[in-house]
Amino acid sequence: MAPAEEYDVVIVGGGPAGLSAALYTARENLKTLVLDKGAFGGMAAITETIDNYPGFKNGVGGRALIDEMVGQAERFGATCESFSPVVSLQPVTKGFVVHTDEKEYRAKTVLIASGSTYRKLHVPGEDELIGRGIHFCATCDAPLYKDKHVVVIGGGNSALQESLFIARFARSIDLLVDGERFTGSQVLQDAVMAEKKIRPHFHSRTQNIQKLDAHGPITIHVTAKGQLETYQTDGIFVFIGLLPNSDEFANVGCDEHKFIVSDRAYQTNLPGVFVAGDVRSGSTWQIGAAVGEGISAALAMREYVDRALGGAKAVELHS
Amino acid sequence: MTITIYSIASCAACHELTKWLDKNNKPYQKKITDEDPAVMDEFMQVNDGMIGVPFTIIKDDSGTETKISGFDLATFKAVLGL
């Protein structure tokens, strides 16, 4: 493995929180690296239209917003590496070593902004059909279901917003909600109820999923108020909540749901390691909030470098 | 060797895949499924039931086809010998 490259700030995760932090630290002349396990933007990048991010009266495409954020961070000197999954974070003297699957980096301070991923159903048949009829990203895959029937599972903001997006393509949608009502915002509820293509079904819990033929329909068995019901569909989209991407950070303190705990300055239990965005315990899972958290964490990181490390440059990190 | 990528217009991972192939000087043909019903039909016939993009078919000089659903960097590196 090549010698470790040295940075003042390594940011794990290239979504709104990480890219906002990178803009601020790079602009403060801190040598900054952003690593993302996949394409930049995380969940924001796969959102077709973002209507609740300030500054865009007609909304903004998630991909376009992220492209601007990457370009803005790079303009101030941040290095942004996509498809560079971080596998471990180790404290060393005066800093940290961040390992990806191919390289290692030294950093004075680290921001974890690794975001979250969609929660799976964990029912029989699901794993075998992921990518073969079960999907977690409407922006990615809904256009493949033009004039077809789709089932959406979930009742929160994501399920409602994505159902409305899928309705642009699909012939009809059965929306299966576990509880007795939607939990998403009233604005989205009203829009879903006004969309004729969407049929909501409450008290509907998925039990198992089957697909007997690669090109055939999918069968979903659902219990609804104790009765077994069956749906035949061309595709299923699942939006039932989020899981934090925190498994790689075993030595950082988490809450009972594995979201990373921080103090008011966004610092974790490891001095010098900060956290922002969806992966943080207490996050509101909003893009605007993630941006704010990333900026606040960046300011705290700058102060940490100045106070705890006396403003030492990245090249002085040798332990 | 030929590389054919089935995509949709808004696919972020497809965009990253083509950027990565460009960076590694690997020419490819990109087919946008949601802009042409004939391409969508073709995609549904060749995808072996894997409904998702990017969907890539890599045909080596002997004619052997490798089909890859999604953009997993390690898989592409292994198949392309990078």
Side-chain angles (χ1 to χ4, degrees):
Chain A
M1 187 176 281
E5 295 176 23
E6 297 183 350
Y7 288 87
D8 293 313
V9 177
V10 169
I11 296 170
V12 185
L19 293 170
S20 301
L23 164 64
Y24 269 65
T25 56
R27 198 163 174 266
E28 295 281 342
N29 289 323
L30 294 172
K31 189 179 177 187
T32 300
L33 171 68
V34 184
L35 299 168
D36 197 292
K37 66 179 179 180
F40 288 117
M43 307 282 277
I46 59 174
T47 303
E48 168 72 6
T49 302
I50 299 165
D51 270 332
N52 58 356
Y53 187 75
F56 299 91
K57 66 179 181 182
N58 296 318
V60 59
R63 177 79 260 152
L65 180 64
I66 293 301
D67 284 347
E68 289 293 328
M69 285 184 176
V70 172
Q72 194 176 12
E74 288 179 334
R75 178 182 146 217
F76 288 104
T79 302
C80 300
E81 301 276 358
S82 57
F83 295 94
S84 299
V86 168
V87 295
S88 70
L89 166 64
Q90 292 179 326
V92 294
T93 306
K94 291 185 179 179
F96 302 90
V97 174
V98 178
H99 294 271
T100 68
D101 56 347
E102 291 189 335
K103 292 182 181 178
E104 67 176 46
Y105 302 93
R106 299 288 299 268
K108 280 193 276 192
T109 178
V110 172
L111 175 65
I112 301 172
S114 48
S116 56
T117 52
Y118 283 117
R119 187 186 293 272
K120 294 185 349 184
L121 288 164
H122 297 294
V123 298
E126 180 184 35
D127 285 341
E128 297 84 342
L129 291 176
I130 289 174
R132 294 176 177 272
I134 296 180
H135 307 274
F136 299 86
C137 172
T139 309
C140 309
D141 300 321
L144 302 174
Y145 289 92
K146 186 172 170 56
D147 299 328
K148 296 190 175 183
H149 177 267
V150 165
V151 164
V152 175
I153 300 173
N157 281 328
S158 293
L160 300 179
Q161 185 163 353
E162 302 296 3
S163 292
L164 291 166
F165 177 71
I166 295 166
R168 294 193 210 169
F169 307 94
R171 180 183 74 246
S172 56
I173 298 169
D174 282 306
L175 175 54
L176 307 183
V177 184
D178 196 344
E180 62 183 353
R181 63 175 74 89
F182 295 128
T183 55
S185 78
Q186 192 61 49
V187 172
L188 290 171
Q189 291 186 39
D190 293 345
V192 163
M193 296 308 287
E195 171 54 65
K196 290 185 172 59
K197 286 184 178 179
I198 301 174
R199 293 187 297 266
H201 306 272
F202 298 98
H203 300 287
S204 297
R205 175 166 293 185
T206 303
Q207 298 299 325
N208 61 69
I209 303 168
Q210 295 173 314
K211 186 175 185 180
L212 300 177
D213 179 277
H215 296 284
I218 301 172
T219 303
I220 310 174
H221 292 112
V222 172
T223 49
K225 291 186 175 177
Q227 300 295 311
L228 189 63
E229 295 184 352
T230 301
Y231 293 85
Q232 298 262 323
T233 187
D234 297 302
I236 302 171
F237 287 81
V238 181
F239 306 106
I240 56 168
L242 300 169
L243 291 173
N245 295 325
S246 61
D247 286 349
E248 296 81 4
F249 312 107
N251 43 5
V252 175
C254 295
D255 65 16
E256 67 271 30
H257 301 295
K258 292 191 172 182
F259 289 90
I260 296 172
V261 175
S262 70
D263 63 17
R264 287 186 176 183
Y266 298 94
Q267 189 164 218
T268 70
N269 63 315
L270 281 184
V273 176
F274 295 76
V275 62
D278 284 8
V279 72
R280 190 182 69 82
S281 179
S283 164
T284 54
W285 301 326
Q286 300 295 306
I287 295 171
V291 166
E293 289 189 16
I295 292 169
S296 297
L299 297 175
M301 293 168 83
R302 182 193 63 184
E303 187 173 325
Y304 172 82
V305 170
D306 286 345
R307 290 194 180 179
L309 301 179
K313 298 294 181 188
V315 291
E316 297 168 3
L317 273 173
H318 300 289
S319 57
Chain B
M1 175 184 288
T2 62
I3 301 174
T4 306
I5 301 166
Y6 293 90
S7 175
I8 60 173
S10 59
C11 171
C14 306
H15 179 63
E16 293 294 329
L17 169 59
T18 54
K19 266 178 30 184
W20 183 80
L21 290 170
D22 289 338
K23 189 173 146 187
N24 287 282
N25 297 313
K26 294 291 181 187
Y28 54 84
Q29 181 185 17
K30 189 173 178 182
K31 297 186 172 183
I32 311 293
T33 57
D34 54 334
E35 291 179 351
D36 184 343
V39 173
M40 181 68 88
D41 289 345
E42 179 184 313
F43 167 64
M44 289 301 179
Q45 285 179 2
V46 301
N47 67 14
D48 295 343
M50 291 181 276
I51 308 166
V53 291
F55 182 81
T56 306
I57 301 175
I58 300 173
K59 188 184 284 187
D60 68 19
D61 294 337
S62 71
T64 303
E65 283 187 351
T66 303
K67 296 182 178 181
I68 305 171
S69 182
F71 180 20
D72 177 65
L73 193 56
T75 303
F76 273 88
K77 282 182 175 178
V79 174
L80 295 173
L82 294 171

